[in-house]
């Protein structure tokens, strides 16, 4: 599992509330990613990080922000959750820009 | 616009048979092509990957075939087993830009 934990594993929240998901890794991987998984779309990259305080946008970054203040933690924040952000969110890590290993996921429901 | 198209959406194979899943990509700059296996309630797990400088890569019962000119690649699972029943995702990308197919749900019947 590449030493990845995600928290919380499940969350139900209401439209308009802020939500923060946490990804924690124990193996000092340089690269970290946030994806969302929706039926019919596979996985889509939200944001990624290539080092502490170094982040960049992915394919579906609107409505999301990220922060990485320590190598081991990568946070995904939904400033004001919407129903369209109901999804399963996966964190991934990589030693290089290619070989990604995924965490167990967080199921988020926005009512 | 989906940059990686995967087919079929679902596949049923008898135990011992060959499972074949196909993917096509658009961006010729992509230079890394992994396949992931995902069981219900779990994260995707890297199964096998290939670079465009080779046409085939085999690891145990799993083989990737790669056709650069056609911009297509496929996963072959030989001697399919019920334990292989899962959703399989192809991906293509480079430099942190990985694009995934929509997934194929494989069922291997005993």
């Amino acid at each position: 599992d590449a030493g990845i934990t995600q928290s919380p594993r499940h969350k139900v929240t209401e439209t308009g509330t802020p939500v923060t998901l946490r990804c924690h890794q124990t193996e000092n991987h340089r690269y970290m990613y946030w994806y969302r998984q929706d039926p019919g779309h596979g996985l889509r990259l939200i944001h990624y990080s290539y080092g502490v305080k170094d982040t960049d946008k992915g394919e579906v970054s609107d409505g999301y922000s990220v922060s990485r203040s320590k190598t081991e933690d990568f946070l995904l924040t939904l400033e004001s959750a919407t129903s369209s952000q109901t999804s399963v969110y996966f964190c991934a890590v990589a030693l290089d820009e290619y070989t990604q290993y995924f965490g167990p996921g967080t199921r988020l429901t926005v009512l | 616009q989906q940059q990686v198209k995967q087919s079929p959406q679902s596949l049923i194979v008898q135990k011992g048979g060959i499972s074949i899943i196909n993917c096509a990509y658009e961006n010729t700059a992509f230079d890394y092509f992994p396949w992931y296996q995902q069981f219900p309630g779990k994260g995707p797990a890297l199964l096998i990957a290939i670079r465009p400088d080779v046409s085939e890569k085999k690891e145990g019962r799993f083989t990737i075939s790669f056709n650069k000119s056609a911009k297509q690649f496929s996963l072959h699972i030989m001697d399919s087993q019920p334990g292989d029943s899962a959703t399989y995702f192809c991906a293509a990308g480079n430099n942190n830009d990985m694009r995934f197919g929509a997934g194929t749900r494989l069922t291997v019947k005993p």
Side-chain angles (χ1 to χ4, degrees), chain B residues 5 8-9 12 15 28 40 42-43 45 49-51 53 81 90:
Chain B
K5 295 184 179 179
Q9 274 189 298
I12 299 174
K15 178 182 176 182
T28 56
K42 304 291 185 181
I50 198 168
R51 299 276 189 171
D53 53 343
Q81 299 297 311
C90 65

Side-chain angles (χ1 to χ4, degrees), chain A:
Chain A
D1 63 357
I4 306 169
T5 56
Q6 292 186 232
S7 59
R9 294 293 314 279
H10 302 271
K11 186 171 181 67
V12 179
T13 191
E14 293 188 351
T15 298
T17 60
V19 176
T20 294
L21 308 183
R22 179 181 183 237
C23 178
H24 179 78
Q25 59 141 332
T26 59
E27 298 186 3
N28 209 36
H29 291 287
R30 176 183 176 187
Y31 299 93
M32 298 185 76
Y33 310 81
W34 277 108
Y35 288 88
R36 60 178 291 173
Q37 184 176 43
D38 304 289
H41 291 277
L43 293 120
R44 292 180 291 175
L45 181 65
I46 304 171
H47 282 279
Y48 68 95
S49 169
Y50 45 96
V52 173
K53 298 192 190 307
D54 291 324
T55 65
D56 206 346
K57 295 180 180 180
E59 184 185 357
V60 291
S61 60
D62 287 348
Y64 302 95
S65 63
V66 291
S67 65
R68 192 173 180 194
S69 58
K70 298 185 290 184
T71 299
E72 58 267 34
D73 289 324
F74 192 31
L75 304 181
L76 177 70
T77 298
L78 291 66
E79 300 291 346
S80 177
T82 67
S83 58
S84 64
Q85 293 176 312
T86 291
S87 186
V88 181
Y89 291 86
F90 286 99
C91 173
V93 301
L95 284 172
D96 54 37
E97 296 97 324
Y98 298 94
T99 312
Q100 299 182 17
Y101 299 94
F102 286 81
T106 293
R107 183 174 295 274
L108 176 67
T109 302
V110 183
L111 301 176

Side-chain angles (χ1 to χ4, degrees), chain B residues 77-92:
Chain B
I77 305 174
M78 312 300 289
D79 188 26
S80 298
Q81 299 297 311
D84 297 330
S85 297
T87 300
Y88 292 80
F89 293 94
C90 65

